């Protein structure tokens, strides 16, 4: 989809269909031409409601306010409403709130995110028909933003939304089409296109690195594991960020096999790793002045004669011993070794991990929100704030010493599950904290994206299936680090 920016009024530019965003339920605005027709059609200007007036070549959409989240959703719903039509080009006026650019960014993101469809396995494709969008700066205070600033904002929005869609594609791909070696070649291909460097660790190298917990989880699969390391080093880096992602290309639960209903959708257990790939793509394309490293532990958790077992004791890369009591709590084992490896390779100012780690997080905060954990209040609030600024939902889940006791083991240093039914998202986070070095203790946040990463219905600007959770929040956060000197 390409965007064209102009200072001409909407009436003077080409575009088969004009999109009009009606903000605040207000049909009285003088710029709305078709008041009578809209009333007749029963258009009540509600958020996301659309009304296509074919003969007028106009599509109206409601937005509750000029807030980024509302405009993004409205723009996404425009694209959804146009699925199945033959329109190829749109024109739309830009909106701004006192010269701020976030409305413009949200609108462009919304168009790209809302146009996403996953058609790989459909014989009959139903892709979004829109190829071209002209944006006019003339109306609704748009001229308060100069054209260069506006085109930079559009460029950023395009990169962020395209990276989100790139992540969605990886997550939606079936486990037999996207297994660890495939994830590694996706990373290599993306690195080649964007100028990132990319190192892939295969089983021999993983053995040499003593990543025995990761290897144990991978053992029963015919697909051998990979650890991916992507690097972005700009000329004058302001600080160093490390990202680590859980890349379970399939999670059957292992010998602690998942019930049939719970196993469906577990292709999405690679969402954390896929988010890391998407974030790295965006960071490279935006050429952000931050050194960023992306690590992915790509593994398949299966059953078989060689499977790791409840009762095993595994030794992680940092030497800690882990009593296995449930092979379905595998993500934390893969992350333990990948986190240790990442910290050995890079001393960073910020360390973030992304994982569809626990069903408990979904129970706790619902499908749409990520849980943010860690030892530092400051880092947790930074993540939550930037997630919200980016259009994602996130909330902090605080650690406490009482829950920490529940992952104690009688026979090893730590147990891979807790001895209580409650607080599972937090105890999983506290398990990970065992694998964070002293020097990174207050630099780390764990982001459990199990809720929003994959939802079997469309919501907001997200489609059925993968949402690309984690990408927008982290791109926004790294952009913030690039701007705000007080954070270095
Ligand atoms: N991948 C799952 C967590 C998950 C569940 C993600 C639902 C997305 C949706 C993880 O590996 C897992 O199975 N966790 C177990 C942990 C338990 C055995 C302590 C869980 O949440 O039930
Ligand atoms: Zn599992
Ligand atoms: Zn899992």
């Amino acid at each position: 989809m390409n965007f064209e920016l102009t200072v001409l009024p909407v009436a003077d530019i080409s575009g088969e269909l004009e999109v009009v965003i009606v903000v605040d339920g207000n049909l009285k605005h003088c710029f709305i031409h078709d008041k009578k027709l809209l009333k007749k059609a029963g258009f009540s200007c509600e958020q996301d409601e659309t009304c296509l007036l074919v003969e007028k070549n106009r599509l109206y959409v409601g937005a509750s306010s000029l807030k980024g989240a509302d405009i993004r959703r409205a723009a996404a719903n425009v694209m959804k409403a146009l699925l199945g039509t033959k329109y190829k080009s749109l024109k739309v006026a830009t909106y701004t709130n006192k010269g701020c650019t976030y409305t413009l960014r949200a609108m462009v993101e919304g168009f790209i995110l809302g146009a996403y469809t996953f058609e790989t396995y459909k014989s009959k494709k139903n892709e979004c028909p829109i190829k071209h969008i002209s944006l006019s700066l003339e109306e609704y205070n748009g001229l308060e933003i100069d054209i260069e600033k506006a085109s930079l904002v559009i460029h950023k929005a395009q990169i962020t939304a395209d990276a989100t869609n790139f992540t969605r594609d990886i997550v939606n791909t079936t486990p037999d089409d996207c297994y660890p070696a495939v994830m590694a070649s996706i990373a290599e291909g993306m690195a080649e296109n964007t100028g990132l460097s990319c190192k892939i660790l295969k089983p021999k190298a993983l053995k040499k690195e003593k990543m025995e917990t990761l290897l144990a989880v991978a053992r029963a699969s015919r697909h051998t594991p990979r650890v991916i390391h992507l690097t972005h080093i700009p000329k004058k880096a302001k600080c160093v960020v490390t990202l680590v992602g859980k890349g379970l290309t399939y999670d059957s639960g292992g010998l602690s096999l998942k019930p049939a209903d719970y196993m469906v959708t577990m292709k999405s257990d690679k969402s954390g790793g896929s988010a890391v790939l998407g974030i790295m793509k965006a960071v490279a394309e935006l050429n952000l002045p931050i050194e960023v490293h992306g690590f992915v532990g790509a593994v398949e958790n299966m059953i078989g004669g060689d499977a790791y077992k409840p009762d095993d004791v595994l030794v992680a890369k940092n030497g800690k011993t882990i009593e296995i009591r449930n092979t379905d709590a595998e993500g934390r084992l893969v992350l333990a070794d990948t986190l240790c490896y990442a910290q050995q390779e890079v001393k960073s100012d910020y360390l973030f991990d992304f994982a569809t780690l626990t069903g408990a997080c979904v129970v706790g905060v619902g499908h749409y929100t990520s849980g943010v954990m860690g030892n530092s209040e400051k880092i947790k609030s930074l993540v939550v704030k930037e997630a919200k600024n980016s259009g994602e939902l996130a909330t902090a889940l605080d650690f406490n010493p009482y829950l920490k006791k529940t992952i104690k083991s009688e026979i090893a240093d730590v147990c891979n599950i807790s001895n209580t039914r409650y607080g599972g998202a937090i105890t999983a986070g506290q398990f990970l904290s065992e694998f964070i070095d002293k020097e990174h203790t207050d630099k780390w946040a764990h982001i459990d994206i199990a809720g929003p990463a994959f939802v079997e219905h469309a919501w907001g600007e997200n489609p059925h299936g993968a949402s690309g959770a984690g990408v927008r929040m982290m791109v926004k956060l790294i952009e913030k680090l690039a701007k705000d000197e007080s954070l270095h």
Side-chain angles (χ1 to χ4, degrees):
M1 191 179 300
N2 81 68
F3 289 85
E4 189 184 321
L5 189 61
T6 166
V7 289
L8 294 173
V10 174
D12 297 351
I13 57 177
S14 62
E16 288 169 84
L17 195 67
E18 179 185 346
V19 171
V20 184
I21 305 179
V22 186
V23 181
D24 210 5
N26 202 344
L27 261 188
K28 290 192 196 87
H29 282 309
C30 54
F31 61 81
I32 296 175
H33 303 282
D34 309 303
K35 293 186 182 87
K36 272 193 186 152
L37 270 177
L38 287 169
K39 272 199 182 138
K40 214 170 162 186
F43 180 66
S44 53
C45 321
E46 276 189 23
Q47 173 73 45
D48 302 340
E49 184 187 359
T50 55
C51 186
L52 175 60
L53 299 181
V54 178
E55 290 185 1
K56 299 280 178 183
N57 292 322
R58 285 198 193 93
L59 172 66
Y60 287 85
V61 62
S64 305
S65 76
L66 274 178
K67 284 187 187 139
D70 292 339
I71 296 294
R72 192 180 291 103
R73 275 168 57 193
N77 276 290
V78 164
M79 293 317 213
K80 289 180 187 173
L82 292 174
L83 263 183
T85 68
K86 292 206 160 41
Y87 296 103
K88 287 199 167 48
S89 62
L90 298 179
K91 54 181 182 174
V92 60
T94 52
Y95 299 70
T96 174
N97 211 350
K98 301 188 192 100
C100 288
T101 54
Y102 60 79
T103 323
L104 177 58
R105 179 161 181 169
M107 185 161 77
V108 174
E109 283 181 3
F111 283 139
I112 300 172
L113 295 170
Y116 177 86
T117 58
F118 183 69
E119 305 287 326
T120 307
Y121 304 108
K122 293 263 192 200
S123 311
K124 207 167 156 233
K125 314 283 182 209
N126 184 20
E127 278 161 8
C128 178
I130 305 300
K131 300 277 172 280
H132 185 90
I133 300 182
S134 297
L135 300 156
S136 159
L137 278 181
E138 162 75 20
E139 270 111 327
Y140 320 134
N141 308 324
L143 281 176
E144 286 177 21
I145 322 171
D146 72 64
I147 191 150
E148 263 152 49
K149 199 169 166 193
S151 69
L152 194 67
V153 168
I154 292 169
H155 178 68
K156 286 183 188 170
Q158 276 182 289
I159 289 175
T160 311
D162 284 340
T164 309
N165 287 347
F166 170 77
T167 294
R168 289 170 171 181
D169 272 343
I170 303 172
V171 175
N172 283 325
T173 303
T174 60
D176 245 28
D177 285 344
C178 184
Y179 43 86
V182 174
M183 242 182 139
S185 50
I186 293 172
E188 283 175 318
M190 184 271 283
E192 206 172 303
N193 292 337
T194 53
L196 292 169
S197 46
C198 180
K199 182 176 169 186
I200 306 293
L201 282 79
K202 292 186 182 170
K204 223 168 140 188
L206 298 172
K207 189 119 200 120
K208 206 166 154 206
E209 286 293 342
K210 298 196 166 69
M211 296 169 78
E212 293 293 342
T213 59
L214 183 149
L215 286 164
V217 176
R219 222 162 55 201
S221 170
R222 70 191 172 100
H223 297 300
T224 55
R226 299 286 186 273
V227 166
I228 302 163
H229 177 188
L230 290 159
T231 308
H232 166 74
I233 303 189
K235 282 224 169 76
K236 281 186 187 149
K238 297 189 171 168
C239 65
V240 183
V241 174
T242 294
L243 313 168
V244 175
K246 168 177 172 181
L248 262 289
T249 58
Y250 201 67
D251 180 13
S252 69
L255 289 181
S256 315
L257 197 63
K258 283 185 185 292
D261 288 356
Y262 287 69
M263 208 185 293
V264 185
T265 74
M266 276 303 132
K267 65 174 182 181
S268 68
D269 218 19
K270 56 184 176 314
S271 297
S274 307
V276 168
L277 299 186
I279 300 161
M280 292 306 295
K281 180 178 188 290
V283 164
E285 289 175 353
L286 291 167
N287 196 16
L288 293 174
I290 307 284
E291 180 175 326
V292 187
H293 295 261
F295 294 85
V296 180
V299 178
E300 188 180 60
N301 185 22
M302 296 297 279
I303 55 171
D306 195 26
Y308 83 120
K309 300 175 263 303
D311 283 358
D312 279 347
V313 172
L314 304 177
V315 186
K317 181 170 165 58
N318 68 351
K320 287 203 179 169
T321 57
I322 307 167
E323 178 191 359
I324 305 301
R325 293 183 74 92
N326 190 318
T327 62
D328 197 13
E330 84 301 332
R332 61 196 77 183
L333 302 173
V334 170
L335 279 179
D337 271 354
T338 313
L339 279 164
C340 291
Y341 178 71
Q343 292 170 97
Q344 167 193 294
E345 296 299 294
V346 187
K347 306 294 165 219
S348 52
D349 301 299
Y350 292 90
L351 170 62
F352 302 109
D353 76 72
F354 299 85
T356 46
L357 204 61
T358 63
C361 195
V362 196
V363 172
V365 300
H367 248 312
Y368 314 107
T369 304
S370 296
V372 182
M373 287 154 262
N375 304 307
S376 151
E377 294 301 324
K378 210 172 132 198
I379 307 248
K380 281 187 288 180
S381 16
L382 178 68
V383 175
V384 170
K385 188 168 169 219
E386 294 312 318
K388 285 182 183 158
N389 285 339
S390 78
E392 289 198 49
L393 302 175
T395 190
L397 301 175
D398 292 343
F399 289 164
N400 67 62
Y402 314 106
L403 280 174
K404 182 74 188 272
K405 284 193 182 141
T406 69
I407 53 168
K408 276 194 169 159
S409 166
E410 293 294 329
I411 59 162
D413 298 339
V414 65
C415 183
N416 86 322
I417 56 166
S418 132
N419 64 17
T420 157
R421 307 212 284 137
Y422 304 111
I426 294 173
T427 50
Q430 287 180 309
F431 176 91
L432 295 181
S433 76
E434 292 285 317
F435 303 90
I436 302 298
D437 300 344
K438 262 207 180 94
E439 60 188 308
H440 288 113
T441 306
D442 290 322
K443 299 177 174 172
W444 164 68
H446 156 58
I447 302 148
D448 193 332
I449 57 171
F454 194 94
V455 184
E456 287 194 285
H457 56 255
W459 52 291
E461 61 274 23
N462 300 294
H464 167 108
S467 68
V471 176
R472 282 184 283 150
M473 75 162 85
M474 210 24 66
V475 171
K476 197 90 196 150
L477 191 151
I478 300 172
E479 279 185 75
K480 172 88 176 161
L481 295 180
K483 268 189 280 187
D484 192 337
E485 301 290 335
S486 74
L487 293 167
H488 310 145

